[in-house]
Amino acid sequence: MANLGKLNILMCICTLQGEYTTGWTGSGASKSDKKVVALTMFDLRRLGKIGKLGMVGVNGSKFPAVRQHLQENIANVYKDMDTSFEEFPKEGKVDPEAYKEAIDKMSPGDAVIVFTPDSTHYPISLYAIERGIHVLLTKPATQLLSHHHELIEASRKHNVVCFVEHHKRFDPVYSDAKARAQSLGEFNFFNAWMSQPKSQLETFKAWAGKDSDISYYLSSHHIDICCWILQDRAVPTRVVASAATGIATGEPYNCVPQTEDTITLLVDWQSINSSRHRGTAVYTASWTAPLKAGIHSAQHWYYMGEKGDINVDQAHRGYDITVDETGKTWYNPFYMKYSPSESGHFDGQRGYGYISIEKFRKPADYDTHGYPTIANTVLTTAILNAGRISLDEKRPVGIKKSGDTWVLE
């Protein structure tokens, strides 16, 4: 593809104006390390790598608080960091489809970054793609496998990049483990755990259990890693899901009755090269983990092949700090380094959270380089969608390929 050059970029965020995008949750600064997208965009603009920046939400009256937050936590922290942006909708307006007005003001070849509730990924991305706008889309790309296929076809038809922000592919531990797994023979077993503290239910209360679930939100990370490791080696064939409940729906969270606490997907994998080799994967995600565990996201996984195994503990990187008032905390500057450089500038360009966004604007043949494009992530959506159906209909769900299209049965 052609060099994207100095992209003009629109950041699409959620009704709370985007914890992962801005670091603001509606009640103040996020206590997690999820302050990534806007900070990366402001820094890329400082470095002359992108052009104009816009931000679109639903409620324009929240932008003054967002601007104040960005001034206090970014502009006042890092030297030469301009945090200005054009907002949609304007102050005093509430418009769930403000993204349409914002995208309509863009030109073909510009880009949209979509970090919104899961159920809105598909319509926003499709609207942008059909107007020749490149899309960087947070995980899960879509909730329905059919929608995922539609985005693949639309991006090809309109010759734009649709890139899923699976940043763990750029974690050097994960990418090294992926490479080493290739020498361990046929796949046998994979087990992944990822959780966030119960306090996140307050942040996500507007959509938790209504528009999406914790499997879509968190297990999408390690399902994608497993699919990436097994690409061209094995395919998923069946999904059975189970869920634990009772915490999210009780005091003090009071989420809607259908909200699950913890979801486990059991997935059968069939080797492409050996009919006798079948593997099993277990993907579990929870948003009811204990508070004050010293980490925001507990996350680890285990891979076993016929010739060896791999253990990865992503949450504990051998770097912890203990403070009298708050106790012990494990930090991960390999993801995002928030401490300024000696010159006072932002110094997180080497973090894989930053790199996964910067890669989007660099010219490459994305589909053939193992990047998480919309075409390269279809099996992640197939497994997640099958898991949701399995929970709702209380049955196993099959996955198979029909021609060039993956289908559920």
Side-chain angles (χ1 to χ4, degrees):
M1 59 168 285
N3 193 327
L4 297 181
K6 276 195 177 183
L7 286 172
N8 298 315
I9 294 179
L10 175 70
M11 296 175 279
C12 297
I13 55 181
C14 71
T15 53
L16 290 176
Q17 261 56 354
E19 180 184 19
Y20 195 88
T21 300
T22 66
W24 189 74
T25 66
S27 60
S30 169
K31 293 180 174 59
S32 76
D33 59 357
K34 299 194 300 180
K35 301 175 277 288
V36 179
V37 180
L39 177 54
T40 299
M41 290 296 103
F42 295 144
D43 188 62
L44 288 172
R45 182 172 62 183
R46 177 182 70 86
L47 297 173
K49 295 182 177 181
I50 62 172
K52 298 177 182 178
L53 286 175
M55 193 178 298
V56 59
V58 172
N59 189 341
S61 65
K62 295 183 178 180
F63 279 114
V66 171
R67 292 184 189 277
Q68 181 180 352
H69 164 79
L70 295 175
Q71 179 66 38
E72 293 174 353
N73 293 277
I74 295 180
N76 293 351
V77 174
Y78 305 108
K79 186 178 179 181
D80 301 326
M81 192 71 89
D82 172 17
T83 59
S84 63
F85 60 89
E86 183 179 4
E87 79 280 4
F88 304 89
K90 300 302 180 183
E91 187 173 356
K93 293 185 177 180
V94 176
D95 182 4
E97 294 190 336
Y99 68 88
K100 293 183 177 179
E101 176 192 359
I103 292 172
D104 287 344
K105 289 188 175 183
M106 304 181 81
S107 300
D110 288 341
V112 167
I113 298 178
V114 182
F115 277 78
T116 58
D118 298 349
S119 61
T120 65
H121 294 178
Y122 167 73
I124 296 174
S125 298
L126 185 62
Y127 192 86
I129 289 170
E130 290 177 338
R131 285 151 184 81
I133 307 297
H134 303 290
V135 174
L136 175 61
L137 177 60
T138 190
K139 51 74 199 166
T142 64
Q143 292 176 305
L144 298 180
L145 180 57
S146 60
H147 285 170
H148 195 117
H149 279 296
E150 287 180 38
L151 292 185
I152 293 173
E153 293 305 313
S155 63
R156 289 172 177 167
K157 177 181 178 181
H158 296 279
N159 193 30
V160 299
V161 175
C162 186
F163 196 100
V164 187
E165 201 273 325
H166 281 295
H167 53 257
K168 294 188 186 301
R169 291 200 187 195
F170 301 97
D171 182 335
V173 172
Y174 281 47
S175 61
D176 186 71
K178 189 261 187 186
R180 293 179 185 275
Q182 310 309 303
S183 65
L184 298 181
E186 291 288 344
F187 168 64
N188 193 265
F189 180 69
F190 186 95
N191 184 36
W193 164 260
M194 190 166 182
S195 69
Q196 291 189 349
K198 292 185 284 287
S199 56
Q200 284 295 98
L201 289 169
E202 296 290 349
T203 301
F204 300 141
K205 193 171 183 178
W207 58 265
K210 301 175 186 176
D211 297 322
S212 193
D213 61 44
I214 191 56
S215 185
Y216 276 117
Y217 182 68
L218 281 187
S219 276
S220 49
H221 281 297
H222 288 122
I223 291 174
D224 177 71
I225 292 300
C226 187
C227 290
W228 186 39
I229 292 173
L230 297 178
Q231 187 172 344
D232 300 323
R233 299 174 58 216
V235 293
T237 59
R238 190 182 76 141
V239 179
V240 178
S242 181
T245 62
I247 298 175
T249 54
E251 295 288 345
Y253 309 106
N254 298 313
C255 293
V256 294
Q258 64 268 32
T259 308
E260 296 98 351
D261 298 335
T262 305
I263 295 176
T264 296
L265 307 185
L266 175 65
V267 182
D268 295 338
W269 285 80
Q270 175 62 54
S271 170
I272 293 174
N273 301 312
S274 171
S275 60
R276 78 172 192 274
H277 282 96
R278 290 185 298 171
T280 302
V282 182
Y283 313 106
T284 302
S286 176
W287 44 21
T288 55
L291 306 174
K292 300 179 181 179
I295 50 176
H296 182 71
S297 298
Q299 42 193 308
H300 53 261
W301 55 271
Y302 172 79
Y303 176 97
M304 185 171 69
E306 62 178 330
K307 298 179 182 178
D309 63 5
I310 299 171
N311 267 298
V312 175
D313 182 353
Q314 199 274 346
H316 303 91
R317 294 296 180 97
Y319 176 42
D320 59 82
I321 296 175
T322 303
V323 178
D324 285 343
E325 290 79 11
T326 57
K328 180 178 288 189
T329 301
W330 281 267
Y331 288 94
N332 183 12
F334 307 106
Y335 170 58
M336 281 290 278
K337 178 181 180 291
Y338 292 106
S339 55
S341 68
E342 292 184 2
S343 66
H345 294 91
F346 176 69
D347 192 36
Q349 295 86 359
R350 296 173 301 280
Y352 60 85
Y354 187 104
I355 289 171
S356 70
I357 297 173
E358 186 184 23
K359 286 282 188 184
F360 170 63
R361 57 160 296 279
K362 290 186 176 181
D365 186 357
Y366 293 101
D367 285 336
T368 60
H369 278 70
Y371 290 157
T373 62
I374 194 69
N376 283 344
T377 56
V378 64
L379 287 179
T380 300
T381 297
I383 292 170
L384 289 165
N385 192 179
R388 187 65 257 172
I389 294 171
S390 178
L391 284 173
D392 292 340
E393 300 183 7
K394 298 179 175 55
R395 66 174 179 88
V397 177
I399 302 175
K400 72 174 185 178
K401 198 168 188 180
S402 177
D404 294 328
T405 302
W406 290 95
V407 295
L408 305 180
E409 56 182 13

